[in-house]
Amino acid sequence: MLRRLSLRHFVIVSRLEVEFQPGFAVLTGETGAGKSILIDALQLALGGRGDAGVVREGETRAEISAEFEPIPAVLTAWLDEAGFEAQDDAPTTLLLRRTVDAQGKSRAWINGSAATVGQLKEVGEHLVDIHGQHAWQSLTRPASVRALLDDYAAIDTRHMADAWQQWRAQQARLDTARQQGAERALERERLAWQIGEVDKLAPGEHEWAELNAEHQRLAHAQAILDALQSAITATSDGEPSAEQLTGRALDTLSEVSGYAPELQEVIEVLQSAQAQLADAAHSLSALLRRTELDPDRLGELDARLSSWVGLARRYRRMPEELPAVLAQWRAQLQEIDATADLDALQQQTEAAWQRYLAAASRVSAARHRAAPTLAAAVTAAMQMLGMAGGRFEIALEPLPEPQSHGLESAEFLVAGHAGSTPRPLGKVASGGELSRIALAIAVTTSQQRQARGAGAATLIFDEVDSGVGGAVADTVGQLMRRLGRERQVLAVTHLPQVAACADAHLLVSKVSEDGRTRSDIRTLDAAQRIGEIARMLGGQTRSDAGLAHAREMLATVDARPQPLQTNRVP
């Protein structure tokens, strides 16, 4: 549950820290005092959208921190895997922090470690359920209706959506193959002819470089022979040769080496040179024996290289690219043959459709099981909210075409009183009725999520009681009070009947300070609470009658309500 919310330089709040307790708490205050600021700040801490507009005028940064305790079991493993370790001084506390600067740049932390806004949002889904004052507007949109029903019944539609995407992709491939059949046939014919032409050459992967090297060697064979013979003459066969001259130098130095020991090092170098000259002469002779003129082979190489160059020019490629081009054409031909196999594509498309249909049918069955249960629960809640005899239904109608979200549309129908036929919600309900129906749905779905262990421990209602009054307002208050026995409930309200049912009462007010306006929140004691409820009953005037009425209202609140009954999905 939410334990503490801290704000700094947020909208018209300078510095504020609010502590929360279990049970049902209300926030009240005059119009324009900023009752929804706490809700807006909490949504930001839970990963909501933020921009520079949330920073208080004249400040550089807004900061919001929210503490929750204890950490929900469903989040424990997630926090460990994501590296958000518990704080040593508060191992059961989860701390979320968010800042937004004057340029709109946002930063986030979880338990003191840097986090993404997406991670804040993922964590927030397990901590708080927020129902806004215009929640009823989404109840007229099919997508919202369907999402609400799926959430109520714990239906996971991800597998179905994936199967739909796969089926659509496979269907697109089949349609493309059918539409482009003639074009693909021409393309296949062109590729097959080109492959046949290059296959005649059968270019090896490294052949072009090898051919060029061999051609260079044969084309210059005579020059190589002359160079070899000249080198042999210079090193060993000539008069005098390099070997002979080196030998003479050794003989001359050896005669005087006994008188000049320092010559020994030079003698060793010359001896090494003489040995290397002998090795070189031997190698040159071997090369000379292996090197010969081969005009026939040179002609073959000329013809082969000409074929390479001719094909390369025809297809406007470099000769060395021909092997890679041939491989590319073969791959394209194989792809065309695969996509042109309409029978195989048809079978694959049918298999993908059957997978989607199976997943969608399971979702449809779950929706049809859950819809009557949810409708009955909301109908029961409507009776408590001043709509006696009213009836709530969920219409599931087959779609003309299957969609990623399933095979049917979903719509809320309502009959405002006994004997009337349920009709689409947005067409028959007034603003006040819509608010009450939205409240009935919020309470019912929240109970169901809590019953299956998926609901957030904190439930927030932001002026969802708009358009409600009289005895119905008292029922709304009692309903929230009962919810507070099972979960932490926070409501922003303008109804004294609802405020009187709260376990704790927070007053939001505006304060002028140094020419600037700031918002302030404080917890009311018993006497202050009487005064605030009297104000809510009679406006600015706190008459004796109003105060007496407020005392009576507080005194008659049932302090020990029975827990709400939860309708479970079969």
Side-chain angles (χ1 to χ4, degrees), residues 287-362:
L287 287 171
L288 182 62
R289 290 191 297 271
R290 293 198 303 270
T291 302
E292 59 183 11
L293 301 176
D294 191 347
D296 293 338
R297 176 58 181 164
L298 185 59
E300 292 175 3
L301 290 173
D302 282 334
R304 182 71 176 168
L305 288 170
S306 294
S307 298
W308 273 72
V309 172
L311 277 177
R313 286 176 178 172
R314 181 181 302 173
Y315 297 113
R316 297 183 179 181
R317 302 295 182 99
M318 298 299 292
E320 59 269 24
E321 295 176 359
L322 286 179
V325 170
L326 180 60
Q328 179 184 352
W329 287 344
R330 284 173 174 163
Q332 291 173 351
L333 183 62
Q334 185 177 7
E335 182 181 354
I336 288 176
D337 288 342
T339 55
D341 189 347
L342 294 181
D343 290 339
L345 284 174
Q346 181 66 52
Q347 292 175 4
Q348 293 166 6
T349 303
E350 179 62 26
W353 162 253
Q354 291 299 328
R355 288 192 295 271
Y356 164 75
L357 185 60
S361 297
R362 289 192 294 270

Side-chain angles (χ1 to χ4, degrees), residues 122 125 156 183 368 476 478 488:
E122 188 173 355
E125 291 175 353
D156 188 348
E183 296 177 7
H368 280 85
V476 170
Q478 291 289 344
Q488 183 186 44

Side-chain angles (χ1 to χ4, degrees), residues 198-394:
V198 180
D199 264 340
K200 293 176 184 177
L201 178 67
E205 184 177 357
H206 304 293
E207 185 184 358
W208 174 254
E210 294 168 353
L211 288 174
N212 275 281
E214 186 179 2
H215 186 273
Q216 288 290 323
R217 188 167 57 253
L218 287 177
H220 296 85
Q222 186 59 57
I224 294 172
L225 286 171
D226 293 344
L228 288 172
Q229 185 60 60
S230 178
I232 292 172
T233 299
T235 54
S236 62
D237 291 351
E239 286 294 339
S241 68
E243 285 187 64
Q244 291 174 336
L245 294 172
T246 303
R248 292 176 187 174
L250 282 169
D251 291 342
T252 302
L253 293 175
S254 296
E255 292 176 358
V256 298
S257 62
Y259 310 112
E262 64 271 16
L263 293 176
Q264 188 60 41
E265 184 175 347
V266 177
I267 290 172
E268 291 175 358
V269 171
L270 288 172
Q271 288 173 339
S272 175
Q274 190 176 39
Q276 290 178 354
L277 285 169
D279 289 343
H282 183 271
S283 297
L284 288 169
S285 298
L287 287 171
L288 182 62
R289 290 191 297 271
R290 293 198 303 270
T291 302
E292 59 183 11
L293 301 176
D294 191 347
D296 293 338
R297 176 58 181 164
L298 185 59
E300 292 175 3
L301 290 173
D302 282 334
R304 182 71 176 168
L305 288 170
S306 294
S307 298
W308 273 72
V309 172
L311 277 177
R313 286 176 178 172
R314 181 181 302 173
Y315 297 113
R316 297 183 179 181
R317 302 295 182 99
M318 298 299 292
E320 59 269 24
E321 295 176 359
L322 286 179
V325 170
L326 180 60
Q328 179 184 352
W329 287 344
R330 284 173 174 163
Q332 291 173 351
L333 183 62
Q334 185 177 7
E335 182 181 354
I336 288 176
D337 288 342
T339 55
D341 189 347
L342 294 181
D343 290 339
L345 284 174
Q346 181 66 52
Q347 292 175 4
Q348 293 166 6
T349 303
E350 179 62 26
W353 162 253
Q354 291 299 328
R355 288 192 295 271
Y356 164 75
L357 185 60
S361 297
R362 289 192 294 270
V363 169
S364 293
R367 286 171 176 168
H368 280 85
R369 287 195 302 270
T373 305
L374 175 58
V378 175
T379 297
M382 287 169 59
Q383 314 309 307
M384 302 168 57
L385 296 171
M387 301 182 73
R391 190 163 82 258
F392 185 83
E393 294 183 1
I394 303 173

